[in-house]
Amino acid sequence: MPQRDGALPPEFWTRPATAAALATCDIATIVEDIRRTRGWSQGELAKAVGYSQSWVSRVVNGQQSLTIDQVRDLAGRLGIPLHLLRFGGAAEPAKGADPTRRREFGKAVTVSALALPLTSAQRRGDTAAADSEIHEQTAVTLRAITGGQRRLDASSPARDLARGAVAHVELAGRTLKRAQGTPFAADVAAAASEAAGFAAWLHADMGDAGSARAFYRASVDRARRAGQRLLDVYMLGSLAAFEIDADDPALGLSLAHEAGRRLSPGAHPTATAWLACVRALGHAGMGAGDEADQEIALAEQAVNRSDNAEPPWPWVFAFDHAKVAGYRALAAVRLHRPHQARAAFAEAFTGTRPGPKQSAILQVELAKAHADAGDGDEALRLAADALAVGVRLQSERVVDRVRGFRRAYRVRGPGADRLDDQLTAALTGGLPAVL
């Protein structure tokens, strides 16, 4: 029931979506959650905060930038606990300071929100008291922070998130140590696994393969400590996919088979289909077309099952025909079947579009299919568009994929010259040096 007046219930602030918004200082989401919980119209919300309805509309739609003073003002009027936003005690730039410095301060606030502060018991080394602070919301909070980071990844350079993500992995590891012997240890281990898996993803995008492998190994270890079979399979399968993408399909396939052995016979069809698709890429990378086709057929059978509806955690979306088509397309590119690849890409893009970085990766693969089919102009256009995304989001992985495309397809002409110029700019000035 809507609660139009009075203080919001304490459990409101620990809801996963709200906790994630608090962790990333996502004021738009927090304000809209409060409006819906109160049952207010947007006009009533505007009256409550003392701003115009048009200004409030821009805020909740993410179109209005807020100063720190405005955030504090909204928090006071709506009863948002400032300590949950984790910037109440930060050294704010002086009023009238350069706007660029204010933006940088805003970034610092977001990064600092990605790690939980030490409690007073931890600071004074009171282990028993610290252990008692592990409770049913500990894992929820850790997962909410990882979720907030994942949402930022869709539109932020990985290197902007990496430091906060690594700090969160370390925090999750310390929390896991304190959780041992409590009833919440398994849930905390699962949350720590997710944090490490996301850090691995970021480092892969940054082109830091060594760190990515280390974080993937940590994610697998923590998943096993959680005793959650599907999470174990997901993280091991993610490491397998990483190795296949890193041009070691034999190792990736071996890891994918190990993940399959850990999958129970009655596993959810989403898990079965996804893992079959990962194996298909491994076979395709080794030139084994028949084996790749068999795995894709197995995935299609799984997604056709009537119980392939709600996805099992840690999958967010059910694995459907469009996703299988995407893997069929990727396998066809590796097997140099351009016409099959282009048809499969067309089917895959009818589903939910992935984030910009992943879309750019797929564009490079589609470019390879067009090049194999003799359509060089379209191939170069797709590669150039993908490179622009890679430069904008500082994705070493995307840029490296475009470089690999250009090495494999040494065509000549105006389009090729433009792509070469873009690559030169990206490698000399478009991307910062790897830290």
Side-chain angles (χ1 to χ4, degrees), residues 194-239:
E194 284 192 279
F198 179 64
W201 168 265
L202 290 178
H203 284 80
D205 192 56
M206 293 163 58
D208 185 352
S211 294
R213 288 188 180 94
F215 283 118
Y216 273 127
R217 286 196 296 270
S219 71
V220 171
D221 173 70
R222 291 173 175 184
R224 290 176 183 173
R225 292 171 66 180
Q228 298 193 15
R229 188 183 295 270
L230 279 183
L231 182 62
D232 181 2
V233 168
Y234 181 84
M235 292 305 177
L236 191 56
S238 296
L239 176 57

Side-chain angles (χ1 to χ4, degrees), residues 106-404:
K107 291 179 182 177
V109 166
T110 299
V111 172
S112 68
L114 300 179
L116 295 173
L118 292 177
T119 65
S120 58
Q122 289 173 273
R123 284 194 294 270
R124 66 176 180 263
D126 187 345
T127 305
D131 287 348
S132 69
E133 292 162 1
I134 304 295
H135 48 75
E136 66 275 2
Q137 290 300 319
T138 301
V140 172
T141 303
L142 291 171
R143 290 178 63 193
I145 293 172
T146 304
Q149 291 172 329
R150 286 190 184 279
R151 283 187 286 278
L152 288 171
D153 175 58
S155 57
S156 305
R159 65 186 68 253
D160 285 359
L161 301 174
R163 186 172 298 177
V166 171
H168 182 44
V169 171
E170 294 171 351
L171 169 68
R174 291 194 298 270
T175 306
L176 179 55
K177 288 181 180 179
R178 294 191 297 117
Q180 297 309 305
T182 74
F184 312 106
D187 288 341
V188 172
S193 175
E194 284 192 279
F198 179 64
W201 168 265
L202 290 178
H203 284 80
D205 192 56
M206 293 163 58
D208 185 352
S211 294
R213 288 188 180 94
F215 283 118
Y216 273 127
R217 286 196 296 270
S219 71
V220 171
D221 173 70
R222 291 173 175 184
R224 290 176 183 173
R225 292 171 66 180
Q228 298 193 15
R229 188 183 295 270
L230 279 183
L231 182 62
D232 181 2
V233 168
Y234 181 84
M235 292 305 177
L236 191 56
S238 296
L239 176 57
F242 168 77
E243 295 296 356
I244 292 168
D245 280 344
D247 292 327
D248 195 344
L251 175 58
L253 189 57
S254 176
L255 291 166
H257 280 306
E258 174 61 24
R261 285 189 286 272
R262 294 176 182 274
L263 196 63
S264 60
H268 193 285
T270 281
T272 300
W274 173 74
L275 200 53
C277 285
V278 173
R279 292 195 299 265
L281 292 187
H283 284 300
M286 298 174 68
D290 289 344
E291 288 84 350
D293 292 341
Q294 290 170 9
E295 294 289 2
I296 291 295
L298 176 61
E300 289 171 340
Q301 291 173 10
V303 300
N304 279 329
R305 283 170 46 180
S306 59
D307 56 339
N308 188 40
E310 291 297 322
W313 181 80
W315 282 267
V316 178
F317 302 104
F319 213 74
D320 57 15
H321 286 286
K323 289 185 172 63
V324 175
Y327 279 92
R328 189 191 313 119
L330 294 175
V333 169
R334 287 161 170 77
L335 293 166
H336 298 285
R337 300 172 178 173
H339 301 297
Q340 183 186 65
R342 290 196 292 183
F345 272 123
E347 183 182 347
F349 285 135
T350 61
T352 304
R353 295 282 296 198
K357 285 184 273 190
Q358 191 61 25
S359 290
I361 293 291
L362 294 177
Q363 273 191 283
V364 179
E365 297 299 311
L366 180 56
K368 294 177 183 178
H370 279 287
D372 278 345
D375 190 356
D377 289 342
E378 179 64 7
L380 291 167
R381 184 192 68 79
L382 288 165
D385 288 349
L387 180 60
V389 173
V391 170
R392 177 169 60 84
L393 294 178
Q394 299 178 14
S395 172
E396 294 282 356
R397 182 174 54 164
V398 173
V399 173
D400 191 59
R401 290 294 181 89
V402 177
R403 291 176 63 193

Side-chain angles (χ1 to χ4, degrees), residues 4 10 36 73 94 96 103 118 174 213 232 256 344 374 403 421 428:
R4 300 184 67 85
R36 290 179 181 277
D73 185 37
R103 286 194 295 272
L118 292 177
R174 291 194 298 270
R213 288 188 180 94
D232 181 2
R403 291 176 63 193
D421 289 342
T428 59

